[in-house]
Amino acid sequence: MSLELRDVGVTFGGGLFAGPRKQAVRGVKLRLPSDAPHILAIVGESGSGKTTLTRLLLGLLRPTTGQMLWQGRDIWGLDRASWTAYRRAVQAIFQDPFGAYNPVYRVDRMLILPALNFGLAKTADEAHPLAEAALAAVGLRPAETLGRFPHQLSGGQRQRLMVARAMMLKPQVLVADEPVSMVDASLRATILESLSRLRTETGMSLVYVTHDLATAYQIADTIMVMRNGEVVEEGDVVSVIRAPAHAYTSELVAALPPPDPTIDWGLETSP
Ligand SMILES: Nc1ncnc2c1ncn2[C@@H]1O[C@H](COP(=O)(O)OP(=O)(O)O)[C@@H](O)[C@H]1O
Ligand SMILES: [Mg+2]
């Protein structure tokens, strides 16, 4: 597996009807190590370009300049078969789970269809236990959830559903844009734990986007700090957070709340 952004820039707008020009991302290099599963955190305040980066990684947005490479090949030049393989291998958890769902599909359909489309199961009956296991893994009760429509779930439940769907597909890379922003602290710990467990159990890599430095510290190997569309600092997460080289990172670290003693992260130290 290899995933890379090579000197990527994204400019929005600037056309006659497209609103003012805005350079959302500039000169970004990003590379997930291909030899071992890896968790990369992308942090930065609102508007720093994090979501734009995830859309590039997911093939939802074409870079204005530079390249997005999968297995060393530009994804925008892939043939249909390679594109399908890439779309299965790189899965998403979005910030706004409501927007990502078809409102007329019940939860069971949202899990069973991808299981069939991506060949995890041949029939709906075969897919059912996979869907149930995925829901249980994120703390949702299958019996109470499967027959519901998205609007009948809370924001936190919808977000967990998206995590469940992504986990079920066992992607090589999971791109998660603020995946726990709508759940409470204890559930946040549970979801993040299951995400990092997936790395050890399935060898999945994770791109974890957040404005929350504390959770980045808890689960990531490396960190990239974004500001105004640029990477201001990157490296090993412990070194960057304990000894920030850039003033902006120091500000983010200083803004961290004290560690929550009710959450057991399985770590002995906190920043
Ligand atoms: N489709 C778009 N059209 C115009 N501007 C956009 C669009 N998407 C994002 N932007 C702008 O690009 C910048 C980065 O946005 P975004 O990537 O969403 O940041 P973040 O996720 O870090 O909050 C912001 O200034 C935002 O307003
Ligand atoms: Mg965002």
Side-chain angles (χ1 to χ4, degrees):
M1 183 282 299
S2 92
L3 187 73
E4 184 180 353
L5 293 177
R6 194 176 280 173
D7 297 320
V8 159
V10 173
T11 305
F12 291 113
L16 193 48
F17 303 106
R21 264 174 90 81
K22 165 83 199 175
Q23 181 142 29
V25 158
R26 89 199 77 187
V28 171
K29 295 185 184 61
L30 178 164
R31 185 180 204 142
L32 281 188
S34 52
D35 48 344
H38 189 87
I39 300 185
L40 165 70
I42 302 179
V43 305
E45 63 196 0
S46 181
S48 57
K50 305 183 300 296
T51 294
T52 303
L53 284 186
T54 64
R55 292 176 63 209
L56 288 164
L57 293 172
L58 291 163
L60 302 174
L61 179 69
R62 194 169 182 157
T64 315
T65 55
Q67 286 179 306
M68 156 65 200
L69 305 172
W70 166 250
Q71 313 292 40
R73 291 158 66 196
D74 192 319
I75 61 157
W76 294 94
L78 292 180
D79 57 64
R80 185 180 277 264
S82 309
W83 176 257
T84 306
Y86 155 73
R87 288 307 293 261
R88 177 180 174 182
V90 183
Q91 289 289 328
I93 301 177
F94 291 105
Q95 195 168 9
D96 167 20
F98 205 47
Y101 291 141
N102 186 328
V104 303
Y105 283 7
R106 290 180 203 269
V107 170
D108 49 358
R109 202 158 168 209
M110 285 181 234
L111 293 170
I112 285 168
L113 279 185
L116 295 173
N117 289 342
F118 286 118
L120 301 182
K122 290 199 187 65
T123 64
D125 280 351
E126 245 179 75
H128 225 267
L130 299 177
E132 291 190 350
L135 290 174
V138 294
L140 290 171
R141 294 209 185 89
E144 288 171 18
T145 320
L146 281 169
R148 300 218 170 166
F149 291 103
H151 68 267
Q152 296 174 315
L153 303 174
S154 71
Q157 286 173 324
R158 285 197 292 269
Q159 212 162 23
R160 278 187 278 165
L161 174 58
M162 191 139 45
V163 175
R165 180 188 178 280
M167 285 175 169
M168 187 186 70
L169 295 174
K170 297 199 169 45
Q172 293 174 46
V173 182
L174 185 60
V175 179
D177 189 357
E178 312 265 10
V180 289
S181 57
M182 290 169 77
V183 301
D184 63 42
S186 66
L187 194 56
R188 191 174 305 153
T190 310
I191 292 180
L192 291 174
E193 268 165 29
S194 29
L195 287 176
S196 62
R197 214 174 46 235
L198 268 188
R199 172 193 28 188
T200 24
E201 287 171 5
T202 72
M204 177 194 84
S205 287
L206 175 66
V207 177
Y208 173 58
V209 173
T210 183
H211 59 267
D212 175 17
L213 221 51
T215 57
Y217 182 82
Q218 305 299 344
I219 70 164
D221 302 307
T222 54
I223 188 169
M224 225 170 88
V225 182
M226 299 284 300
R227 186 190 197 186
N228 292 333
E230 287 178 298
V231 179
V232 294
E233 184 162 1
E234 64 189 313
D236 166 72
V237 71
V238 175
S239 341
V240 168
I241 292 184
R242 294 207 169 180
H246 196 282
Y248 176 69
T249 315
S250 308
E251 278 170 38
L252 292 178
V253 172
L256 273 174
D260 182 343
T262 64
I263 300 175
D264 177 11
W265 291 97
L267 294 176
E268 276 158 28
T269 52
S270 302

